[in-house]
């Protein structure tokens, strides 16, 4: 077995910072220096996904093993705001983009939620109503969108049921890819988007990374 094959299958349960670079799993997420700083463990949480730990310390979410966080577009203000773009290359070579925008200062009353969903609708041309999905800890508002013939996907606003703040998520796939059926009936894209959105989890007292 080659070193590369060993790295791909070795279930190392450590923080990436605790593992020598040459011993890290040979995945896009962990081979990128900036991205791996946000990955909680070198062991996959689910098949094809690690867990991303926000640098604000406020939330976590699933992160595709083929994903990279763009360093140039990353910004953070203490534990109050954070925004970045994730570029994803799936095993079938389909590329996706995930935009994340966290704002701790949003109030999740009717006015605050409407502000966030209206922002997404206006920027993405969303005409369908947002579907509300409430779990024990979080509430999500999700709607499909299509930008002309260029891209399609799903947008969401996700917030904790017990604290202020929330995350706007835009999961999109380019329509110019040969393996992409650019239609809202594409169940594979829908499932991938929903898997990311539904995995978002907020920490009640998560701000330990804010001063790093």
């Amino acid at each position: 077995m080659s070193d590369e094959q060993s790295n791909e299958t070795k279930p190392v349960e450590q923080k990436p910072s605790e593992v020598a670079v040459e011993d890290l799993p040979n995945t896009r997420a962990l081979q990128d220096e900036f991205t791996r700083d946000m990955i909680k463990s070198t062991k996959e949480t689910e098949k094809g996904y690690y867990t991303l730990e926000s640098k604000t310390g406020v939330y976590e979410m699933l992160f595709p093993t083929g994903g990279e966080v763009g360093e140039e577009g990353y910004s953070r203000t203490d534990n109050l705001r954070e925004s970045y773009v994730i570029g994803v290359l799936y095993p079938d070579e389909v590329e996706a983009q995930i935009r994340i925008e966290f704002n701790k200062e949003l109030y999740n009353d009717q006015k605050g939620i409407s502000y966030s969903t209206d922002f997404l609708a206006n920027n993405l041309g969303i005409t369908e109503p947002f579907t509300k999905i409430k779990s024990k800890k979080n509430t999500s508002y999700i709607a499909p969108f299509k930008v002309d013939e260029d891209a399609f996907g799903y947008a969401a606003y996700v917030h904790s049921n017990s604290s202020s703040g929330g995350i706007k998520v835009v999961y999109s796939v380019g329509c110019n890819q040969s393996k992409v059926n650019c239609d809202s009936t594409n169940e594979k894209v829908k499932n991938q988007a929903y898997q990311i959105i539904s995995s978002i989890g907020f920490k009640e007292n998560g701000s330990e990374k804010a001063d790093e």
Side-chain angles (χ1 to χ4, degrees), residues 46 60-62 133 135 137-142 156-158 169 190-202:
E46 297 182 12
E60 296 180 350
M61 58 185 277
L62 287 179
I133 302 174
S135 65
K137 295 184 177 181
N138 297 345
T139 300
S140 303
Y141 298 82
I142 309 174
Y157 176 65
V158 185
V169 184
K190 180 179 180 179
N191 290 339
Q192 289 169 335
Y194 270 64
Q195 187 169 16
I196 297 291
I197 293 165
S198 65
S199 74
I200 294 173
F202 294 90

Side-chain angles (χ1 to χ4, degrees), residues 74-127:
Y74 179 89
S75 66
R76 173 167 70 90
T77 303
D78 299 324
N79 70 330
L80 300 177
R81 292 173 180 264
E82 184 179 47
S83 63
Y84 50 95
V85 177
I86 303 166
V88 183
L89 177 62
Y90 285 105
D92 61 2
E93 298 185 349
V94 170
E95 296 182 30
Q97 184 183 85
I98 309 169
R99 291 184 175 273
I100 302 292
E101 184 179 332
F102 166 72
N103 187 342
K104 179 69 174 175
E105 298 173 311
L106 292 173
Y107 288 101
N108 293 310
D109 53 14
Q110 185 175 351
K111 182 179 179 181
I113 292 168
S114 294
Y115 167 82
S116 297
T117 54
D118 287 349
F119 178 89
L120 290 169
N122 292 334
N123 278 271
L124 297 168
I126 295 172
T127 56

Side-chain angles (χ1 to χ4, degrees), residues 7-53:
N7 285 340
E8 289 177 340
T9 58
K10 187 178 177 182
V12 185
E13 218 169 340
Q14 293 174 278
K15 290 184 178 181
S17 60
E18 298 173 345
V19 181
V21 174
E22 60 269 23
D23 293 329
L24 287 168
N26 189 27
T27 59
R28 217 164 155 250
L30 292 182
Q31 291 301 315
D32 180 73
E33 183 177 359
F34 185 79
T35 302
R36 66 172 172 260
D37 189 47
M38 297 178 71
I39 302 300
K40 191 173 183 179
S41 171
T42 56
K43 185 176 181 180
E44 294 182 14
T45 307
E46 297 182 12
K47 184 174 175 56
Y49 292 89
Y50 296 120
T51 291
L52 176 144
E53 190 172 32

Side-chain angles (χ1 to χ4, degrees), residues 41 44 46 53 69 131 134 160 187 193:
S41 171
E44 294 182 14
E46 297 182 12
E53 190 172 32
V69 176
T131 299
K134 188 171 184 177
S160 168
E187 287 296 317

Side-chain angles (χ1 to χ4, degrees), residues 144-146 151-154 173 175 180-190:
F145 69 88
K146 186 172 183 179
F152 80 111
Y154 291 83
V173 174
C175 295
V180 173
N181 170 23
C182 195
D183 193 283
S184 59
T185 60
N186 189 321
E187 287 296 317
K188 186 172 185 178
V189 171
K190 180 179 180 179

